[in-house]
Amino acid sequence: MARLYGGIEGGGTKFMCAVGSGPEDIRAEGRFPTTTPEETMQQVVAFFKQAEQVHGRLDSIGFASFGPLDPRPGSVTFGHILSTPKPGWSNADVLGMVAADFDIPVAFDTDVNGAALGEWRWGAARGLDTFIYLTIGTGIGGGVMANGELVHGLLHPEMGHVLLPRNPEVDPYEGFCLFHKNCFEGLAAGPAIENRWGQRAETLPPDHPAWELEAHYIALALSGYICVLSPQRIILGGGVSSQQQLLPMVHQKVLEILNGYIQSPLILNHIDEYIVPVALEGKAGILGAFVMAEQAL
Amino acid sequence: MARLYGGIEGGGTKFMCAVGSGPEDIRAEGRFPTTTPEETMQQVVAFFKQAEQVHGRLDSIGFASFGPLDPRPGSVTFGHILSTPKPGWSNADVLGMVAADFDIPVAFDTDVNGAALGEWRWGAARGLDTFIYLTIGTGIGGGVMANGELVHGLLHPEMGHVLLPRNPEVDPYEGFCLFHKNCFEGLAAGPAIENRWGQRAETLPPDHPAWELEAHYIALALSGYICVLSPQRIILGGGVSSQQQLLPMVHQKVLEILNGYIQSPLILNHIDEYIVPVALEGKAGILGAFVMAEQAL
C-alpha cells in the first residue's frame, strides 16, 4: 500500500503544507502566513490532523524550513531555528512543536535541502549524485548533495554568504547584508536589486542593465561553487532566477570566468545543460519534504 | 595476514613511492624526479617490482597524482592527466602505465584527495565525515570529503581557482594564473609571493607584510569554502602553510570575515581547532595512497 506523507515547507513569509506521496499524488494542501512560531506551527498541526481524518494516518512528515537552523539529529538544538533577525523565531523549537502532536517520524532540514531533494527525485537533478540547488529571491541559499547525500557538515551550507568582488565604479551599491556587505546575497538578492535601482526587481524590463550586473554576480558565485564542489549540475530557483533573460547571460559569464580551466565537455560545450532552471517550479520544496518524510522511515 | 599496499604520490617535480600498510609500517620508499611520463612511470614500476621481491606480492596500489586528471572509473580518459602546461604530460595515461605491469587493483585520484584520505585515517581529520584538505605551496589545491566519501562530482574540485577580490591599492600584483589572474592560486601560491615581493617566500621574515596579505587571501578563500560546504574542519598543508606565523592571522581574519554569521561554537570559540595544520606533514599523500589501495580491494 502506498505510503502517505506530510510535507512542510516553512518560509519566512508563508508556510506551505501538503499531504500525499509525490507530484501526481498531492491530496491536500494548506498555506499559512508566517506569524509567530506558536501560531504558525499550530496551524500546521491542525492542517495535518484534519487531513488525517480525510485521507488516513500519515506515515511520516518532512519539514523543510527557512534558517539558519540546526539540522543535526542528536544536537541539543536539533530542530530549532537559530539566531535570526525574524522577530520571535530565534531559538524556536519548530520541529518540537510539530513532532509533539504526532507519533511518527518527523524529518527536519533546510528549505533548500528540501528543494534539492525534490529536484533530485522528480526534477532537474534526476540521476545525479553531486549537485547544487540554489534559490535567488528575497534571500539566497543553496542545498548541496554530494555522493548521493545532502551535505550538512558542521551545520549547513550558507551559499548566499560567499563574498564577491565588487567594483565600486561599476556598482556603487554596497550591499544590504548586515553581516558581510559584499556577499552574494547582499549584492544580488531581491532587496539588493530594489535598493540599487530604486524599483522592485520584477518591475525592471528585461533589457535593463540591472540584469547584466545581476548575471555578473550570479556567475561569480557559481564559478566559485564549481571550483569548490565540482557539481554535476547547478539548478537555479527563486523569484530572481525566474527572469528569463538572466540564464543565457549567466551561462556566458560563467564560461568567461572559468576561461576553459575546468576541462569538462559538459561545461565547455553544453553550459545550458549544466546550469539549468528548476523543473518543479514552486513545488520543489514541498515535494522534497515528501522525500525527507520517506527517508525518515 | 596484514595486507601490503603500494602507494604513489605523483607530484609535478617528484614522484614518491612506498610499500607498506600505514604510518607504522612503511617497508620501502622511493623518490624519482618527474621527467617524462614514460621514464617516470617506468621507475615507479621498477621500484614496486623490486620491492615485491623483498617484501612479497602487493595486494593493491593507490596512485594519487597531480592534475588536472580524470578520476572517474568508466570514463574513456580515466587515469589520464588532462591538458596541462607541463611538457609531455597532457593526456598521458599514467594509470595505464602502472596498471599494465600489475595484475592487482590500482586506485587513481588527485594528490589532494590522497592527502585528505591520509589525514582522515591517521591525521587531523580522524572521525570526521565532511572536511577539506587544502595545500598551499607552488600551487593551491584541495580535496573534499562529504558524508564520508571523497567528492569528485563532475571531475574534481579545483579549489585554488576560486576568484578572490583584490584591492589594487593594497596589492598591485595582478596574479600569475594564466586562466584567471585574481584567483586564489594566482594571488597566494608560492610564485605569487615571490613575484610580488621579489624574493622567495621561505626567505621572507615572519614579520614581513607579505604574511599579513597572504593570511588575508587565505582567509577570504576559506570563508568561501565554509559557506559553500560547511566543513567540520579545514586542514592546511603545503610549503606556504607551514609558515608558523600564518595560521593565527588566518584564524583572526576568518572570524572577521564571517562576522558571527555561522552560528557554530566550534568556529566562534575554537577557531584554532577548526582550521588546523596537517598532522602527517609530508606523509599525508603517500599514506592516503595506501588507503586508496585498501579501498580498491
Side-chain angles (χ1 to χ4, degrees), chain A residues 68 72 82-84 91 129-130 132 144 146-166 177-180 182 185 220 223-232 256-267 274, chain B residues 68 72 82-84 129-130 132 144 146-166 177-180 182 185 220 223-233 256-267 274:
Chain A
R72 301 165 305 170
L82 300 178
S83 175
T84 169
N91 308 311
D129 61 45
T130 300
I132 293 170
V144 175
N147 298 320
E149 282 184 71
L150 294 170
V151 173
H152 298 99
L154 191 65
L155 202 57
H156 53 72
E158 284 285 0
M159 311 196 74
H161 290 272
V162 293
L163 297 192
L164 298 182
R166 177 179 66 89
C177 176
L178 299 175
F179 292 88
H180 352 84
N182 62 319
E185 179 169 291
L220 281 173
S223 303
Y225 301 162
I226 292 167
C227 290
V228 176
L229 191 77
S230 185
Q232 294 156 334
E256 285 168 13
I257 293 168
L258 293 178
N259 197 21
Y261 188 75
I262 310 284
Q263 299 175 36
S264 158
L266 181 59
I267 293 181
Y274 184 61
Chain B
R72 302 166 303 171
L82 300 178
S83 176
T84 169
D129 61 45
T130 300
I132 293 170
V144 175
N147 299 318
E149 281 184 72
L150 294 169
V151 173
H152 297 100
L154 191 63
L155 202 57
H156 52 73
E158 284 284 1
M159 311 194 76
H161 291 271
V162 293
L163 298 192
L164 299 182
R166 178 179 65 89
C177 176
L178 299 173
F179 292 87
H180 351 85
N182 61 319
E185 177 169 291
L220 281 172
S223 303
Y225 301 160
I226 292 166
C227 290
V228 177
L229 191 78
S230 186
Q232 294 156 334
R233 189 167 293 156
E256 285 168 13
I257 293 169
L258 294 177
N259 197 21
Y261 187 74
I262 310 285
Q263 298 175 35
S264 158
L266 180 58
I267 292 180
Y274 184 62

Side-chain angles (χ1 to χ4, degrees), chain A residues 31-87:
Chain A
R31 173 185 298 227
F32 315 104
T34 306
T35 57
T36 66
E38 294 73 18
E39 186 177 54
T40 305
M41 302 322 298
Q42 214 162 45
Q43 288 184 290
V44 168
V45 168
F47 166 80
F48 285 130
K49 289 290 182 194
Q50 195 174 7
E52 281 195 323
Q53 293 186 3
V54 180
H55 303 285
R57 195 161 182 278
L58 298 178
D59 290 290
S60 54
I61 294 174
F63 185 173
S65 175
F66 74 91
L69 55 76
D70 187 344
R72 301 165 305 170
S75 160
V76 290
T77 53
F78 173 55
H80 293 223
I81 305 291
L82 300 178
S83 175
T84 169
K86 195 164 180 59

